[in-house]
Amino acid sequence: MNRSRAADLSLLLVAMMWGCTFLIVQHAVRVLPPMAFNSVRFLGAALLLAIIITVFYRSQWKEMTLKMLLHSCVLGLFLFIGYAFQTAGLLYTTTSNAGFITGLSVVLVPFLSFALLRHSISRYTWFSALLAAAGLYLLTFSGSGMSLNRGDLLIFVCAIGFALHIGYTGIYAGRYPALPLAALQMAVVGLLSLAASALTEPISDPAALFDQLTRPQVLWALAVSIGPTSAFAFWIQTVCQKYTTPSRVAIIFATEPVFAAMTGILFAGERLTFIGGIGCICILAGMVVVELKSVPPKVQSEAV
């Protein structure tokens, strides 16, 4: 198996982790406000990666430069925009609208990839992206139709943020060691989330905050989020985007709601409609199409 295939499978694992833990995080943010939760999540992830670097890869700290710090801030800013606007948009729109509009990053990324990296957009990439977008629509709306409201614009900004993060990760991933790059952007997201929490969310007294943080559902969600779905997931993404294209990453990440739907069916008693099932098939088909086609020559040469 070449590096490109291994990278795609690793990214699929990341999408599976994100989708399967959505339900856990959803329960936690009902106790601890979303921005406060994200601040603890991403600052904890940054600290975990910093410990790993210090213990096992100490020499990588010497490779840090001002340019690397600035680029980490760019990635962290785009990631924060994705999470912050998604959270804000959910206050005014439905989860179905949010899921579909966030998934539109699948279609936005090929444009960004062309603009930023001059990657050609093959007909297979276009077909896969549109197939995944159609599948996201069917899965999130299940034939109920789309009803737009003021929160949808916020969610669209979120989709742009996630698309920019994927696109710019494709630019910076090959320039710097993956661990420090991932750790620094986690720290940026955590600090920005902390500032947003202080500005927009009610400040609890220390006793109430401690009570919220020590609730079982919050502790379990943070344990899952800090390690597997933040520190390790974005570390994996940073490494893998050296060997694949942003367009392929976006299509693979479109499987996240499929895994979320499967988790809801298995553990929350949710039901998947016939139309939703077709949507899942479309998303998976889009991923299979892009996976079976050979990667661009530039990526192939890097994967040797």
Side-chain angles (χ1 to χ4, degrees):
M1 182 185 297
N2 61 34
R3 290 181 177 179
S4 178
R5 297 286 185 245
D8 289 348
L9 288 175
S10 299
L11 291 167
L12 180 61
L13 175 63
V14 169
M16 182 183 72
M17 289 192 298
W18 283 340
C20 291
T21 56
F22 181 82
L23 194 63
I24 298 173
V25 175
Q26 191 176 43
H27 289 314
V29 294
R30 292 172 182 170
V31 177
L32 186 65
M35 285 296 146
F37 179 87
N38 281 340
S39 66
V40 178
R41 170 184 179 176
F42 286 104
L43 288 174
L47 178 60
L48 176 59
L49 288 176
I51 292 172
I52 292 174
I53 297 170
T54 302
V55 174
F56 299 104
Y57 306 97
R58 186 172 300 178
S59 62
Q60 291 191 5
W61 286 127
K62 300 177 182 178
E63 299 181 47
M64 288 184 56
T65 62
L66 179 60
K67 185 174 289 188
M68 178 182 174
L69 179 61
L70 291 174
H71 289 164
S72 299
C73 289
V74 170
L75 292 177
L77 175 62
F78 290 145
L79 195 57
F80 167 76
I81 289 172
Y83 280 102
F85 277 86
Q86 186 180 63
T87 303
L90 281 170
L91 297 175
Y92 307 105
T93 190
T94 64
T95 54
S96 294
N97 281 33
F100 173 64
I101 298 172
T102 300
L104 287 178
S105 59
V106 173
V107 181
L108 296 174
V109 166
F111 285 108
L112 293 171
S113 180
F114 175 77
L116 300 175
L117 303 175
R118 299 301 175 189
H119 284 171
S120 60
I121 306 175
S122 71
R123 63 181 183 274
Y124 297 108
T125 299
W126 272 117
F127 178 71
S128 299
L130 293 174
L131 192 60
L136 283 163
Y137 176 83
L138 294 174
L139 177 60
T140 53
F141 297 112
S142 298
S144 62
M146 188 174 189
S147 177
L148 295 174
N149 53 61
R150 61 177 179 171
D152 296 327
L153 179 60
L154 297 174
I155 299 294
F156 185 67
V157 176
C158 145
I160 295 174
F162 284 138
L164 285 169
H165 180 262
I166 293 173
Y168 274 89
T169 298
I171 295 176
Y172 301 143
R175 301 183 185 180
Y176 309 110
L179 267 172
L181 187 63
L184 289 171
Q185 62 179 296
M186 295 296 97
V188 171
V189 179
L191 291 172
L192 290 175
S193 297
L194 184 62
S197 176
L199 293 172
T200 63
E201 294 174 343
I203 300 175
S204 302
D205 61 82
L209 181 60
F210 180 79
D211 177 67
Q212 291 173 326
L213 286 170
T214 53
R215 298 277 185 91
Q217 61 268 48
V218 174
L219 288 175
W220 174 235
L222 287 174
V224 171
S225 299
I226 288 173
T229 64
S230 292
F232 299 136
F234 288 104
W235 179 12
I236 291 171
Q237 181 187 350
T238 305
V239 171
C240 290
Q241 283 205 233
K242 297 178 183 180
Y243 308 110
T244 189
T245 66
S247 298
R248 292 166 70 90
V249 175
I251 292 168
I252 291 169
F253 281 175
T255 61
E256 179 186 348
V258 177
F259 291 114
M262 293 170 58
T263 303
I265 293 169
L266 293 174
F267 299 103
E270 298 178 359
R271 297 181 62 185
L272 184 65
T273 66
F274 176 73
I275 297 296
I278 294 176
C280 289
I281 293 173
C282 287
I283 294 171
L284 294 174
M287 191 196 71
V288 169
V289 168
V290 78
E291 180 63 26
L292 291 179
K293 305 313 297 180
S294 59
V295 295
K298 181 180 178 181
V299 176
Q300 287 179 338
S301 64
E302 291 174 351
V304 173

